[in-house]
Amino acid sequence: MNTLDETQWFTEVCEEGGSAISFRIHGRLHEEQTPYQRIEIYDTTDFGKLMVIDGFVMLTSRDNFLYHEMMSHPALFTHPDPKRVVIIGGGDCGTLREVLRHDGVQHVLQVEIDERVTRLAERYFPELCEANDDPRVEFLFGDGIRWMKEAAPGSVDLVIVDSTDPIGPAEGLFTEPFYRSCHRALGEHGLLVQQSESPLLHFDSIIQPMHAAMRAAGFGHTHTLPFPQPCYPSGWWSATLAGKQPVDRFREQDARQRNFDTRYYTEGVHRGALEPPAFFLR
Ligand code: SAM
């Protein structure tokens, strides 16, 4: 149960963590039920705008840079020369904006199931959508699972799965058949990165099975990169990389000499995130 109580706090309860996270709000700016999910936008007192889907926090203006930078730059600096990128989900366009900072990227296709997420992001999170008119971008509003099944073999360098939690329309994005489709669609140096929930709360239930499914689908190399994310359950989140080639090394010099600003990502943050916490190794 996720509630808006009389004291004007939005609360997301995390049942499996026995915990909750709350934001003090001025009020609700928007709510609608789309054919896929229920979307709400709140105006918070300290975190800017807040987007909620089916009661779960998606992003806030204040801390989304952590997630979006870690969902994009480590993977882009791991691939030797990423030109063709596909984002599955990602409707708020924050990941898309980060991908487009890489000059070498020639084409980004974003396959988002729910066009309303993107339209509301344009209205309430315009800073995340500022690169949407870039000629390298193509938007397709449809099911990412289906698109990936039909993708031409070897036609993609990097797949970024920026999805909701593994329930509802995103459930199939966390399965071996989907990873198999990705493996087929990816070229020789291709890699996949997927948001993989909380290392504290979901290591056994989601992260480990994700590695197993990615490896069963043919990816020889997998690695989970943890990073802070205050607005999500436990405040600690992760991105899991799966590659046809090793994913525990990257183009460090290019990362250091990048020609764009970041707020969290640096080559040192990337290197640190590659060092597994002790309990990952048990
Ligand atoms: N940063 C967020 C998080 O981890 O909570 C995710 C943000 S983004 C808004 C997630 C998007 O994935 C949603 O807009 C949702 O519509 C989309 N999505 C879910 N299942 C999908 C599918 N099967 N194909 C394409 N997009 C999907």
Side-chain angles (χ1 to χ4, degrees), residues 145 163-176 178-179 194:
I145 301 168
S163 75
T164 36
D165 299 335
I167 39 173
E171 197 174 341
L173 295 170
F174 290 72
T175 62
E176 188 189 322
F178 173 69
Y179 300 141
Q194 177 163 31

Side-chain angles (χ1 to χ4, degrees), residues 37 53 57-58 67 88-92 111-114 117 142-145 162-164 169-170 173 195 232:
Q37 51 212 355
I53 292 185
V57 169
M58 289 293 115
Y67 177 91
I88 303 295
D92 56 70
V111 188
E112 160 62 58
I113 205 166
D114 192 347
V117 176
D143 184 2
I145 301 168
D162 181 1
S163 75
T164 36
L173 295 170
Q195 75 90 1
Y232 290 164

Side-chain angles (χ1 to χ4, degrees), residues 52-71:
V52 176
I53 292 185
D54 286 341
F56 298 106
V57 169
M58 289 293 115
L59 71 148
T60 77
S61 311
R62 187 171 180 184
D63 71 353
N64 75 79
F65 66 96
L66 296 157
Y67 177 91
H68 290 138
E69 291 183 15
M70 290 304 282
M71 285 294 290

Side-chain angles (χ1 to χ4, degrees), residues 86-107:
V86 174
I87 300 173
I88 303 295
D92 56 70
C93 301
T95 298
L96 176 64
R97 182 185 68 173
E98 295 306 314
V99 170
L100 292 164
R101 295 193 196 285
H102 293 250
D103 292 337
V105 168
Q106 293 176 350
H107 185 251

Side-chain angles (χ1 to χ4, degrees), residues 58-160:
M58 289 293 115
L59 71 148
T60 77
S61 311
R62 187 171 180 184
D63 71 353
N64 75 79
F65 66 96
L66 296 157
Y67 177 91
H68 290 138
E69 291 183 15
M70 290 304 282
M71 285 294 290
S72 52
H73 304 311
L76 283 154
F77 282 123
T78 299
H79 191 285
D81 188 18
K83 290 189 168 71
R84 305 158 300 173
V85 179
V86 174
I87 300 173
I88 303 295
D92 56 70
C93 301
T95 298
L96 176 64
R97 182 185 68 173
E98 295 306 314
V99 170
L100 292 164
R101 295 193 196 285
H102 293 250
D103 292 337
V105 168
Q106 293 176 350
H107 185 251
V108 192
L109 172 66
Q110 179 156 286
V111 188
E112 160 62 58
I113 205 166
D114 192 347
E115 182 170 358
R116 290 302 300 155
V117 176
T118 301
R119 298 300 162 231
L120 291 170
E122 286 167 348
R123 183 155 153 209
Y124 294 107
F125 298 87
E127 70 283 8
L128 301 183
C129 298
E130 65 192 17
N132 287 8
D133 292 332
D134 188 307
R136 296 174 291 167
V137 182
E138 186 185 345
F139 289 99
L140 198 155
F141 295 104
D143 184 2
I145 301 168
R146 185 151 169 216
W147 186 88
M148 201 52 78
K149 218 186 217 165
E150 293 163 6
S155 61
V156 180
D157 296 320
L158 169 64
V159 176
I160 301 180

